[in-house]
Amino acid sequence: MTLLRTTLSAALLSLALGAGAEAAPEAIYGPGPRALDNREIFAAANLPLWQELDRAGAEGIVLNASSLMTTDFRWIGAVGEERRPADTYLSDDDLAGLAQIVARTGLEVTYEAGVGLSGARCDASLSPEALGRAAAAFEFERNVRRLTDAGIPVSALNVDGPMLRVLSDSDKPEGCREAAGAGFDVRSAGQIVHAYMVELRDRIEAAQDRRTVQVRWLVNLPLWQVGKVPRNSVYSEPAPDAEPTTDLADAVRSLAKAQAEQDLPGRALEIAEVVIGYPYAMGQRNPNRYAIRVRNLWLSSRALNPRSGHPPPLGFIVNTHSYLNPCLKREGRPDVAFLTFRRGTGSVSKACQRAQIGEDTAANARDGVMDNDTDYLRDSFTYADELSPGGELARQLVLRDGTRITDHVAHIYYQSWGVNPLSNAWYMERLIERLEHGDR
């Protein structure tokens, strides 16, 4: 997508949201970091596929932070940092390939941030603002600089679960409580996250000739208590005797208060979008809780951006749970746990690959057992359809005053950080077909 088209799309979306009219969300694609072609997808041979994705109308690419991590710096206690195994992150040559893709398509790059708020950065001796800035500086140097040094401009940050990473009553994996035994009250958490967002945005812009970077807040919605609805514990159902935890509305107010009181160098922080992470299968299991959580997030997020007076639209990640084929267990454990389909220097058998994709038999993808990529793809696209005008979720997400929340969606994110898909190229081909037929 060209810069002109992106600028026009943003302007039209702003006008439409301000007028209460519908505006079709743009599509952003996130290549899976666990796929067999997690690195090869950026090779020159796949440039035509990326060009097709651009022509089909996709706005850009979202990259998982783990794709750039050469070492694991999320924990405390180990002597030094362990080098991550080969194939779990993009090499400099892979990044050169991505730079060519961006240059020859106009697809914009979103970096999924937040990982810096972990491990040794959870230093309670620092002020909240100093902690946030230090975490951002660390993450920029270790991760984001690899993009800017490769000539890859970053257009946006999707800051993944930052409040959950620092709150004292959160059990988010690799967060401050889990990784460092430290946590912070909701007021301090808002100040930490605010300083982190401003610092990371400003460092990236300085590294890419002041090209503007949007900041979006990615909310792992099931992991939050919302009113009387308790949080789910790492995407499982909440226990009947679950202890109350920080309410999402209090977390939103804390960040909004930090925005209003900003005393940091640089321009004020504007949250461009609140991105919702809520697996489809979990929403289907308890649709009432899904609707309550989304409605409450929408209402509380109207307090964000108090300086500009322009609260952000939403985005939805249309993912679901990981659907693994039983053949993976029969073929032994992966050589690297993160790379589900790797076995030593090779991969699972061709027969198992076909079964995992769902193309081994005609019945596999239609037997009602959620155990392959085709099942995942169907749920992902169904999720997007149900958020569209007339869809089941769109009908549920209407407020008493008539506000249709799904009229205020800026992006649909076709991404998976779980097991599916086995092949990024396979998923891209089907996403291109979907976009070309007018479904975003």
Side-chain angles (χ1 to χ4, degrees):
M1 178 178 285
T2 65
L3 180 60
L4 174 61
R5 177 177 171 183
T6 302
T7 304
L8 288 173
S9 296
L12 290 172
L13 175 65
S14 178
L15 288 171
L17 295 184
E22 295 182 17
E26 296 290 336
I28 293 181
Y29 168 62
R34 301 173 187 256
L36 269 179
D37 58 354
N38 60 339
R39 293 177 55 205
E40 291 81 356
I41 195 64
F42 299 109
N46 284 314
L47 175 61
L49 192 59
W50 290 102
Q51 290 172 322
E52 285 187 49
L53 183 69
D54 178 44
R55 286 193 294 268
E59 181 181 285
I61 308 164
V62 57
L63 288 178
N64 187 295
S66 66
S67 299
L68 299 168
M69 290 170 58
T70 59
T71 63
D72 195 340
F73 51 72
R74 296 169 295 177
W75 299 92
I76 280 180
V79 179
E81 296 176 18
E82 292 188 5
R83 186 82 180 179
R84 296 183 70 215
D87 289 337
T88 61
Y89 60 89
L90 300 178
S91 69
D92 291 345
D93 286 345
D94 300 329
L95 292 176
L98 174 57
Q100 282 297 306
I101 289 167
V102 171
R104 297 181 64 178
T105 63
L107 290 167
E108 299 183 348
V109 173
T110 295
Y111 169 72
E112 189 155 292
V115 70
L117 292 167
S118 61
R121 273 68 57 203
C122 303
D123 185 350
S125 70
L126 297 175
S127 71
E129 291 83 1
L131 192 159
R133 291 197 298 271
F138 180 91
E139 185 170 350
F140 175 79
E141 291 299 331
R142 291 300 186 92
N143 260 26
V144 191
R145 186 178 285 283
R146 298 195 65 215
L147 291 174
T148 57
D149 283 354
I152 300 167
V154 177
S155 295
L157 299 172
N158 280 11
V159 186
D160 183 359
M163 295 291 282
L164 288 174
R165 292 179 189 272
V166 296
L167 281 168
S168 59
D169 59 1
S170 169
D171 62 355
K172 182 174 176 63
E174 293 97 39
C176 286
R177 176 183 168 185
E178 294 291 306
F184 304 88
D185 60 72
V186 67
R187 174 71 175 127
S188 298
Q191 294 168 333
I192 291 168
V193 169
H194 177 266
Y196 166 88
M197 288 177 166
V198 170
E199 183 73 14
L200 188 55
R201 178 202 67 189
D202 290 352
R203 282 179 177 261
I204 296 172
E205 290 182 351
Q208 56 186 31
D209 298 324
R210 312 310 307 177
R211 175 169 174 161
T212 302
V213 176
Q214 283 193 351
V215 179
R216 308 174 187 138
W217 180 9
L218 198 167
V219 177
N220 310 119
L221 200 45
L223 304 185
W224 282 100
Q225 177 170 320
V226 176
K228 294 182 179 179
V229 177
R231 74 178 184 191
N232 292 40
S233 180
V234 192
Y235 297 120
S236 62
E237 288 301 311
D241 57 348
E243 291 289 327
T245 53
T246 302
D247 192 283
L248 177 60
D250 292 333
V252 174
R253 280 192 290 268
S254 177
L255 182 56
K257 184 175 177 62
Q259 284 184 292
E261 298 174 347
Q262 179 170 344
D263 188 23
L264 296 169
R267 73 180 187 279
L269 173 68
E270 188 85 354
I271 302 297
E273 184 178 322
V274 176
V275 182
I276 294 174
Y278 205 127
Y280 181 70
M282 179 169 286
Q284 288 291 291
R285 189 179 305 132
N286 198 323
N288 187 50
R289 280 184 176 168
Y290 177 92
I292 289 172
R293 283 176 165 138
V294 175
R295 287 197 294 259
N296 274 266
L297 175 59
W298 168 260
L299 290 169
S300 63
S301 67
R302 300 309 85 197
L304 293 171
N305 303 333
R307 292 193 173 198
S308 71
H310 299 299
L314 300 182
F316 282 85
I317 300 172
V318 288
N319 66 347
T320 188
H321 292 320
S322 292
Y323 296 158
L324 283 75
N325 195 275
C327 70
L328 292 174
K329 291 184 178 180
R330 294 195 297 270
E331 301 210 0
R333 292 185 177 276
D335 186 55
V336 179
F338 183 80
L339 299 178
T340 314
F341 309 107
R342 305 279 183 174
R343 299 296 186 277
T345 57
S347 61
V348 297
S349 67
K350 295 294 184 183
C352 186
Q353 289 183 38
R354 289 194 297 273
Q356 175 60 44
I357 290 174
E359 295 179 342
D360 55 331
T361 67
N364 189 351
R366 297 192 298 273
D367 60 7
V369 179
M370 299 304 182
D371 63 357
N372 58 61
D373 294 343
T374 301
D375 292 328
Y376 178 93
L377 184 87
R378 183 173 56 249
D379 272 7
S380 177
F381 288 179
T382 299
Y383 195 174
D385 289 340
E386 291 189 1
L387 290 167
S388 301
E392 181 59 33
L393 292 177
R395 288 195 292 270
Q396 293 175 19
L397 300 177
V398 179
L399 303 181
R400 291 179 181 177
D401 65 1
T403 299
R404 296 181 298 178
I405 293 174
T406 54
D407 285 354
H408 305 272
V409 176
H411 294 101
I412 296 293
Y413 297 86
Y414 295 90
Q415 68 183 65
S416 168
W417 303 156
V419 170
N420 312 92
L422 178 146
S423 166
N424 284 313
W426 177 90
Y427 187 96
M428 286 177 69
E429 289 168 355
R430 283 143 188 84
L431 177 58
I432 290 165
E433 182 179 354
R434 173 182 174 82
L435 297 178
E436 286 178 339
H437 284 85
D439 297 314
R440 295 249 178 121

